[in-house]
Amino acid sequence: MSIFEYNGSAIVAMVGKNCFAIASDRRLGVNLQTVATDFQRIYKIHDKLFVGLSGLGTDAQTLYQRLVFRHKLYQLREERDMKPETFANLVSAVLYEKRFGPYFCQPVIAGLDDEDKPFICTMDFIGARELAKDFVVAGSASESLYGACEAFFKPDMEPDELFEVVSQALLASVDRDCLSGWGGHIYIVTPDDIKEKILKGRMD
């Protein structure tokens, strides 16, 4: 079993019409043993920028603390929040500088730029970026997430429809992966609002 699947995870980010959704499962496991059912994988950087960290749970928490530190330094120096694309470059640089002793994490970054256009991307554990205009996925459930998102995605979805699509894709996918599950944690972000919702899994 890969070290990236040791704790299990499922993360998906999807774009809508001037909005985006980012969602993750809530299970923390050690291989097939469930340790917690309320584990946080999605972190808010600022009101229009979120990062999801799949992979090894301890590395994800350490990487998040480093990213918050670097973002706060940027805020102090520049007196503004980071744009999503700038933050993606920062995450890529932080991962690449640790490439010989890497963080076993696959980040998913989602945000709105200054013109409220959604930006999503993911990268591997040494910072090679993969940009997308529809959705990105990460984690041990990524294969089933790809299939569900391909089936459900439509361009220019409104926030309510986007929530429905992302939640159905996430729940359908984690049901097909024994290393992730126990419901989901979803953020729907628009220029004016952030909606946070907890989905209950079939085992709750």
Side-chain angles (χ1 to χ4, degrees):
M1 178 178 282
S2 163
I3 189 68
F4 293 95
E5 298 176 351
Y6 182 75
N7 295 130
S9 55
I11 299 178
V12 56
M14 190 178 285
V15 303
K17 187 176 182 181
N18 293 332
C19 61
F20 70 86
I22 183 166
S24 77
D25 71 318
R26 298 196 298 154
R27 178 185 183 269
L28 175 68
V30 175
N31 294 327
L32 299 179
Q33 178 184 359
T34 299
V35 176
T37 60
D38 58 354
F39 189 67
Q40 183 180 3
R41 288 201 171 85
I42 299 172
Y43 302 96
K44 177 179 164 184
I45 304 300
H46 60 74
D47 285 346
K48 293 185 178 180
L49 179 62
F50 286 75
V51 61
L53 298 171
S54 71
L56 197 62
T58 49
D59 278 9
Q61 290 174 332
T62 305
L63 179 58
Y64 166 67
Q65 288 168 356
R66 284 198 68 189
L67 294 176
V68 167
F69 171 70
R70 298 284 285 270
H71 183 257
K72 284 182 177 174
L73 285 179
Y74 181 92
Q75 284 177 315
L76 285 169
R77 189 171 58 246
E78 301 286 331
E79 297 181 356
R80 60 192 168 106
D81 289 327
M82 238 183 226
K83 294 178 183 175
E85 193 158 358
T86 310
F87 184 74
N89 290 332
L90 167 66
V91 176
S92 181
V94 168
L95 289 171
Y96 190 71
E97 74 185 18
K98 291 278 288 182
R99 63 193 177 280
F100 298 117
Y103 294 114
F104 295 111
C105 290
Q106 189 179 354
V108 170
I109 296 155
L112 294 174
D113 64 17
D114 293 342
E115 298 169 357
D116 295 328
K117 186 179 174 186
F119 170 91
I120 57 169
C121 85
T122 185
M123 57 192 73
D124 66 9
F125 69 109
I126 58 167
R129 295 199 309 169
E130 179 187 336
L131 300 170
K133 293 181 179 174
D134 44 11
F135 59 85
V136 291
V137 303
S140 58
S142 57
E143 286 185 20
S144 48
L145 275 167
Y146 269 122
C149 292
E150 285 281 2
F152 293 144
F153 178 80
K154 291 187 291 186
D156 294 329
M157 286 183 284
E158 295 294 334
D160 289 342
E161 187 180 9
L162 182 62
F163 167 74
E164 195 65 33
V165 166
V166 166
S167 57
Q168 292 296 334
L170 181 71
L171 291 178
S173 302
V174 298
D175 280 350
R176 289 160 177 79
D177 176 45
C178 62
L179 299 174
S180 58
W182 286 93
H185 196 175
I186 299 182
Y187 291 90
I188 306 290
V189 182
T190 63
D192 309 312
D193 192 24
I194 300 170
K195 288 182 182 167
E196 179 183 2
K197 300 192 180 180
I198 303 288
L199 301 176
K200 290 206 167 186
R202 297 199 178 160
M203 300 179 75
D204 284 8

mmCIF file of all heavy atoms in Angstrom, residues 41-72:
data_model
loop_
_atom_site.group_PDB
_atom_site.id
_atom_site.type_symbol
_atom_site.label_atom_id
_atom_site.label_comp_id
_atom_site.label_asym_id
_atom_site.label_seq_id
_atom_site.Cartn_x
_atom_site.Cartn_y
_atom_site.Cartn_z
ATOM 1 N N ARG A 41 -9.682 18.114 6.394
ATOM 2 C CA ARG A 41 -8.744 18.075 5.259
ATOM 3 C C ARG A 41 -8.768 19.364 4.439
ATOM 4 O O ARG A 41 -7.902 19.568 3.597
ATOM 5 C CB ARG A 41 -9.067 16.892 4.340
ATOM 6 C CG ARG A 41 -8.702 15.562 4.941
ATOM 7 C CD ARG A 41 -8.536 14.483 3.890
ATOM 8 N NE ARG A 41 -7.981 13.310 4.516
ATOM 9 C CZ ARG A 41 -8.705 12.387 5.147
ATOM 10 N NH1 ARG A 41 -10.010 12.517 5.198
ATOM 11 N NH2 ARG A 41 -8.126 11.347 5.702
ATOM 12 N N ILE A 42 -9.784 20.195 4.652
ATOM 13 C CA ILE A 42 -9.901 21.447 3.890
ATOM 14 C C ILE A 42 -9.648 22.605 4.843
ATOM 15 O O ILE A 42 -10.232 22.666 5.930
ATOM 16 C CB ILE A 42 -11.288 21.576 3.245
ATOM 17 C CG1 ILE A 42 -11.518 20.430 2.264
ATOM 18 C CG2 ILE A 42 -11.419 22.919 2.520
ATOM 19 C CD1 ILE A 42 -12.923 20.365 1.725
ATOM 20 N N TYR A 43 -8.771 23.526 4.426
ATOM 21 C CA TYR A 43 -8.379 24.640 5.288
ATOM 22 C C TYR A 43 -8.627 25.959 4.562
ATOM 23 O O TYR A 43 -8.332 26.092 3.371
ATOM 24 C CB TYR A 43 -6.897 24.536 5.656
ATOM 25 C CG TYR A 43 -6.538 23.246 6.345
ATOM 26 C CD1 TYR A 43 -6.013 22.179 5.621
ATOM 27 C CD2 TYR A 43 -6.719 23.083 7.713
ATOM 28 C CE1 TYR A 43 -5.674 20.985 6.239
ATOM 29 C CE2 TYR A 43 -6.375 21.901 8.346
ATOM 30 C CZ TYR A 43 -5.867 20.857 7.607
ATOM 31 O OH TYR A 43 -5.533 19.680 8.229
ATOM 32 N N LYS A 44 -9.133 26.925 5.313
ATOM 33 C CA LYS A 44 -9.393 28.266 4.759
ATOM 34 C C LYS A 44 -8.133 29.111 4.916
ATOM 35 O O LYS A 44 -7.609 29.253 6.022
ATOM 36 C CB LYS A 44 -10.561 28.890 5.513
ATOM 37 C CG LYS A 44 -10.893 30.300 5.105
ATOM 38 C CD LYS A 44 -12.095 30.781 5.914
ATOM 39 C CE LYS A 44 -12.234 32.274 5.844
ATOM 40 N NZ LYS A 44 -13.320 32.756 6.697
ATOM 41 N N ILE A 45 -7.640 29.673 3.811
ATOM 42 C CA ILE A 45 -6.497 30.577 3.841
ATOM 43 C C ILE A 45 -6.992 32.014 4.000
ATOM 44 O O ILE A 45 -6.510 32.768 4.830
ATOM 45 C CB ILE A 45 -5.635 30.426 2.571
ATOM 46 C CG1 ILE A 45 -5.187 28.961 2.395
ATOM 47 C CG2 ILE A 45 -4.424 31.360 2.641
ATOM 48 C CD1 ILE A 45 -4.346 28.407 3.541
ATOM 49 N N HIS A 46 -7.966 32.396 3.193
ATOM 50 C CA HIS A 46 -8.742 33.620 3.419
ATOM 51 C C HIS A 46 -10.114 33.417 2.793
ATOM 52 O O HIS A 46 -10.424 32.311 2.338
ATOM 53 C CB HIS A 46 -8.016 34.884 2.905
ATOM 54 C CG HIS A 46 -7.712 34.895 1.439
ATOM 55 N ND1 HIS A 46 -8.666 35.098 0.477
ATOM 56 C CD2 HIS A 46 -6.530 34.747 0.773
ATOM 57 C CE1 HIS A 46 -8.114 35.074 -0.731
ATOM 58 N NE2 HIS A 46 -6.814 34.860 -0.583
ATOM 59 N N ASP A 47 -10.960 34.455 2.801
ATOM 60 C CA ASP A 47 -12.374 34.274 2.444
ATOM 61 C C ASP A 47 -12.599 33.743 1.028
ATOM 62 O O ASP A 47 -13.660 33.173 0.755
ATOM 63 C CB ASP A 47 -13.143 35.595 2.597
ATOM 64 C CG ASP A 47 -13.403 35.926 4.054
ATOM 65 O OD1 ASP A 47 -13.226 35.027 4.906
ATOM 66 O OD2 ASP A 47 -13.772 37.082 4.349
ATOM 67 N N LYS A 48 -11.639 33.926 0.150
ATOM 68 C CA LYS A 48 -11.827 33.478 -1.235
ATOM 69 C C LYS A 48 -10.793 32.431 -1.654
ATOM 70 O O LYS A 48 -10.603 32.203 -2.846
ATOM 71 C CB LYS A 48 -11.759 34.676 -2.190
ATOM 72 C CG LYS A 48 -12.925 35.639 -2.023
ATOM 73 C CD LYS A 48 -12.875 36.733 -3.067
ATOM 74 C CE LYS A 48 -14.065 37.669 -2.943
ATOM 75 N NZ LYS A 48 -14.039 38.738 -3.958
ATOM 76 N N LEU A 49 -10.152 31.802 -0.684
ATOM 77 C CA LEU A 49 -9.091 30.833 -1.011
ATOM 78 C C LEU A 49 -9.078 29.695 0.001
ATOM 79 O O LEU A 49 -9.003 29.931 1.210
ATOM 80 C CB LEU A 49 -7.729 31.539 -1.035
ATOM 81 C CG LEU A 49 -6.507 30.675 -1.330
ATOM 82 C CD1 LEU A 49 -6.609 30.042 -2.723
ATOM 83 C CD2 LEU A 49 -5.231 31.513 -1.218
ATOM 84 N N PHE A 50 -9.156 28.479 -0.526
ATOM 85 C CA PHE A 50 -9.132 27.280 0.312
ATOM 86 C C PHE A 50 -8.119 26.289 -0.250
ATOM 87 O O PHE A 50 -7.846 26.267 -1.452
ATOM 88 C CB PHE A 50 -10.507 26.615 0.335
ATOM 89 C CG PHE A 50 -11.529 27.347 1.160
ATOM 90 C CD1 PHE A 50 -12.112 28.510 0.688
ATOM 91 C CD2 PHE A 50 -11.900 26.882 2.401
ATOM 92 C CE1 PHE A 50 -13.052 29.198 1.439
ATOM 93 C CE2 PHE A 50 -12.843 27.554 3.168
ATOM 94 C CZ PHE A 50 -13.416 28.712 2.688
ATOM 95 N N VAL A 51 -7.562 25.468 0.642
ATOM 96 C CA VAL A 51 -6.661 24.405 0.213
ATOM 97 C C VAL A 51 -7.087 23.112 0.885
ATOM 98 O O VAL A 51 -7.412 23.089 2.078
ATOM 99 C CB VAL A 51 -5.171 24.746 0.527
ATOM 100 C CG1 VAL A 51 -4.945 24.937 2.026
ATOM 101 C CG2 VAL A 51 -4.235 23.683 -0.019
ATOM 102 N N GLY A 52 -7.130 22.046 0.096
ATOM 103 C CA GLY A 52 -7.394 20.713 0.618
ATOM 104 C C GLY A 52 -6.118 19.900 0.530
ATOM 105 O O GLY A 52 -5.405 19.966 -0.471
ATOM 106 N N LEU A 53 -5.818 19.148 1.587
ATOM 107 C CA LEU A 53 -4.567 18.380 1.635
ATOM 108 C C LEU A 53 -4.880 16.904 1.839
ATOM 109 O O LEU A 53 -5.302 16.497 2.921
ATOM 110 C CB LEU A 53 -3.664 18.908 2.755
ATOM 111 C CG LEU A 53 -3.208 20.370 2.612
ATOM 112 C CD1 LEU A 53 -2.515 20.846 3.877
ATOM 113 C CD2 LEU A 53 -2.294 20.531 1.408
ATOM 114 N N SER A 54 -4.693 16.118 0.784
ATOM 115 C CA SER A 54 -4.871 14.672 0.895
ATOM 116 C C SER A 54 -3.506 14.031 1.145
ATOM 117 O O SER A 54 -2.471 14.665 0.987
ATOM 118 C CB SER A 54 -5.474 14.116 -0.395
ATOM 119 O OG SER A 54 -4.514 14.161 -1.430
ATOM 120 N N GLY A 55 -3.524 12.778 1.535
ATOM 121 C CA GLY A 55 -2.270 12.071 1.776
ATOM 122 C C GLY A 55 -2.084 11.760 3.246
ATOM 123 O O GLY A 55 -3.049 11.535 3.982
ATOM 124 N N LEU A 56 -0.839 11.783 3.697
ATOM 125 C CA LEU A 56 -0.514 11.453 5.083
ATOM 126 C C LEU A 56 -0.995 12.566 6.014
ATOM 127 O O LEU A 56 -0.620 13.726 5.848
ATOM 128 C CB LEU A 56 0.995 11.246 5.203
ATOM 129 C CG LEU A 56 1.521 10.525 6.440
ATOM 130 C CD1 LEU A 56 0.979 9.099 6.516
ATOM 131 C CD2 LEU A 56 3.036 10.508 6.439
ATOM 132 N N GLY A 57 -1.819 12.227 6.993
ATOM 133 C CA GLY A 57 -2.454 13.226 7.848
ATOM 134 C C GLY A 57 -1.488 14.125 8.588
ATOM 135 O O GLY A 57 -1.684 15.338 8.671
ATOM 136 N N THR A 58 -0.416 13.560 9.142
ATOM 137 C CA THR A 58 0.548 14.368 9.900
ATOM 138 C C THR A 58 1.289 15.337 8.991
ATOM 139 O O THR A 58 1.501 16.496 9.360
ATOM 140 C CB THR A 58 1.562 13.446 10.615
ATOM 141 O OG1 THR A 58 2.063 12.493 9.670
ATOM 142 C CG2 THR A 58 0.905 12.703 11.761
ATOM 143 N N ASP A 59 1.678 14.890 7.798
ATOM 144 C CA ASP A 59 2.345 15.779 6.848
ATOM 145 C C ASP A 59 1.408 16.891 6.397
ATOM 146 O O ASP A 59 1.836 18.029 6.191
ATOM 147 C CB ASP A 59 2.832 14.991 5.628
ATOM 148 C CG ASP A 59 4.158 14.289 5.885
ATOM 149 O OD1 ASP A 59 4.603 14.273 7.047
ATOM 150 O OD2 ASP A 59 4.744 13.755 4.931
ATOM 151 N N ALA A 60 0.126 16.571 6.228
ATOM 152 C CA ALA A 60 -0.847 17.580 5.808
ATOM 153 C C ALA A 60 -0.960 18.698 6.846
ATOM 154 O O ALA A 60 -0.979 19.884 6.501
ATOM 155 C CB ALA A 60 -2.214 16.929 5.582
ATOM 156 N N GLN A 61 -0.993 18.338 8.124
ATOM 157 C CA GLN A 61 -1.102 19.353 9.173
ATOM 158 C C GLN A 61 0.161 20.210 9.251
ATOM 159 O O GLN A 61 0.085 21.432 9.429
ATOM 160 C CB GLN A 61 -1.387 18.678 10.509
ATOM 161 C CG GLN A 61 -2.788 18.080 10.558
ATOM 162 C CD GLN A 61 -3.053 17.267 11.819
ATOM 163 O OE1 GLN A 61 -2.132 16.712 12.412
ATOM 164 N NE2 GLN A 61 -4.307 17.197 12.214
ATOM 165 N N THR A 62 1.321 19.572 9.099
ATOM 166 C CA THR A 62 2.581 20.321 9.112
ATOM 167 C C THR A 62 2.663 21.275 7.928
ATOM 168 O O THR A 62 3.042 22.446 8.075
ATOM 169 C CB THR A 62 3.783 19.355 9.088
ATOM 170 O OG1 THR A 62 3.657 18.436 10.163
ATOM 171 C CG2 THR A 62 5.099 20.107 9.195
ATOM 172 N N LEU A 63 2.309 20.784 6.737
ATOM 173 C CA LEU A 63 2.348 21.614 5.534
ATOM 174 C C LEU A 63 1.381 22.788 5.653
ATOM 175 O O LEU A 63 1.727 23.917 5.289
ATOM 176 C CB LEU A 63 2.011 20.766 4.307
ATOM 177 C CG LEU A 63 1.980 21.485 2.957
ATOM 178 C CD1 LEU A 63 3.313 22.148 2.644
ATOM 179 C CD2 LEU A 63 1.583 20.514 1.847
ATOM 180 N N TYR A 64 0.197 22.543 6.196
ATOM 181 C CA TYR A 64 -0.777 23.633 6.378
ATOM 182 C C TYR A 64 -0.201 24.735 7.271
ATOM 183 O O TYR A 64 -0.333 25.925 6.957
ATOM 184 C CB TYR A 64 -2.072 23.077 6.979
ATOM 185 C CG TYR A 64 -2.983 24.154 7.514
ATOM 186 C CD1 TYR A 64 -3.593 25.069 6.651
ATOM 187 C CD2 TYR A 64 -3.234 24.278 8.874
ATOM 188 C CE1 TYR A 64 -4.419 26.071 7.136
ATOM 189 C CE2 TYR A 64 -4.058 25.276 9.363
ATOM 190 C CZ TYR A 64 -4.638 26.171 8.498
ATOM 191 O OH TYR A 64 -5.449 27.168 8.976
ATOM 192 N N GLN A 65 0.454 24.362 8.365
ATOM 193 C CA GLN A 65 1.036 25.365 9.264
ATOM 194 C C GLN A 65 2.109 26.192 8.557
ATOM 195 O O GLN A 65 2.200 27.417 8.745
ATOM 196 C CB GLN A 65 1.607 24.686 10.506
ATOM 197 C CG GLN A 65 0.524 24.164 11.437
ATOM 198 C CD GLN A 65 1.052 23.242 12.512
ATOM 199 O OE1 GLN A 65 2.244 22.910 12.542
ATOM 200 N NE2 GLN A 65 0.175 22.816 13.402
ATOM 201 N N ARG A 66 2.923 25.547 7.726
ATOM 202 C CA ARG A 66 3.944 26.279 6.960
ATOM 203 C C ARG A 66 3.304 27.235 5.957
ATOM 204 O O ARG A 66 3.783 28.358 5.758
ATOM 205 C CB ARG A 66 4.858 25.307 6.216
ATOM 206 C CG ARG A 66 5.872 24.623 7.110
ATOM 207 C CD ARG A 66 7.006 24.041 6.314
ATOM 208 N NE ARG A 66 7.838 25.079 5.717
ATOM 209 C CZ ARG A 66 8.796 24.836 4.818
ATOM 210 N NH1 ARG A 66 9.040 23.609 4.418
ATOM 211 N NH2 ARG A 66 9.506 25.818 4.325
ATOM 212 N N LEU A 67 2.216 26.794 5.315
ATOM 213 C CA LEU A 67 1.549 27.642 4.318
ATOM 214 C C LEU A 67 0.886 28.849 4.976
ATOM 215 O O LEU A 67 0.929 29.957 4.437
ATOM 216 C CB LEU A 67 0.519 26.824 3.542
ATOM 217 C CG LEU A 67 1.085 25.703 2.663
ATOM 218 C CD1 LEU A 67 -0.031 24.897 2.033
ATOM 219 C CD2 LEU A 67 2.023 26.252 1.594
ATOM 220 N N VAL A 68 0.272 28.661 6.143
ATOM 221 C CA VAL A 68 -0.328 29.786 6.874
ATOM 222 C C VAL A 68 0.744 30.788 7.268
ATOM 223 O O VAL A 68 0.561 32.006 7.136
ATOM 224 C CB VAL A 68 -1.089 29.274 8.116
ATOM 225 C CG1 VAL A 68 -1.443 30.422 9.053
ATOM 226 C CG2 VAL A 68 -2.358 28.554 7.698
ATOM 227 N N PHE A 69 1.885 30.290 7.749
ATOM 228 C CA PHE A 69 3.007 31.158 8.125
ATOM 229 C C PHE A 69 3.467 32.007 6.935
ATOM 230 O O PHE A 69 3.617 33.233 7.041
ATOM 231 C CB PHE A 69 4.149 30.285 8.649
ATOM 232 C CG PHE A 69 5.440 31.021 8.869
ATOM 233 C CD1 PHE A 69 5.575 31.941 9.903
ATOM 234 C CD2 PHE A 69 6.537 30.786 8.051
ATOM 235 C CE1 PHE A 69 6.771 32.621 10.107
ATOM 236 C CE2 PHE A 69 7.730 31.455 8.238
ATOM 237 C CZ PHE A 69 7.844 32.377 9.271
ATOM 238 N N ARG A 70 3.650 31.346 5.777
ATOM 239 C CA ARG A 70 4.119 32.074 4.592
ATOM 240 C C ARG A 70 3.067 33.068 4.097
ATOM 241 O O ARG A 70 3.406 34.154 3.631
ATOM 242 C CB ARG A 70 4.475 31.081 3.471
ATOM 243 C CG ARG A 70 5.613 30.118 3.824
ATOM 244 C CD ARG A 70 6.976 30.777 3.779
ATOM 245 N NE ARG A 70 7.418 30.991 2.423
ATOM 246 C CZ ARG A 70 8.130 30.119 1.717
ATOM 247 N NH1 ARG A 70 8.500 28.969 2.256
ATOM 248 N NH2 ARG A 70 8.504 30.396 0.489
ATOM 249 N N HIS A 71 1.785 32.710 4.198
ATOM 250 C CA HIS A 71 0.726 33.619 3.757
ATOM 251 C C HIS A 71 0.633 34.840 4.668
ATOM 252 O O HIS A 71 0.415 35.965 4.207
ATOM 253 C CB HIS A 71 -0.621 32.897 3.700
ATOM 254 C CG HIS A 71 -1.733 33.763 3.194
ATOM 255 N ND1 HIS A 71 -2.675 34.337 4.019
ATOM 256 C CD2 HIS A 71 -2.023 34.205 1.932
ATOM 257 C CE1 HIS A 71 -3.497 35.071 3.289
ATOM 258 N NE2 HIS A 71 -3.136 35.002 2.026
ATOM 259 N N LYS A 72 0.820 34.641 5.959
ATOM 260 C CA LYS A 72 0.773 35.780 6.890
ATOM 261 C C LYS A 72 1.951 36.727 6.661
ATOM 262 O O LYS A 72 1.797 37.951 6.761
ATOM 263 C CB LYS A 72 0.752 35.273 8.330
ATOM 264 C CG LYS A 72 -0.613 34.734 8.721
ATOM 265 C CD LYS A 72 -0.660 34.272 10.159
ATOM 266 C CE LYS A 72 -2.078 33.824 10.504
ATOM 267 N NZ LYS A 72 -2.179 33.234 11.851
#
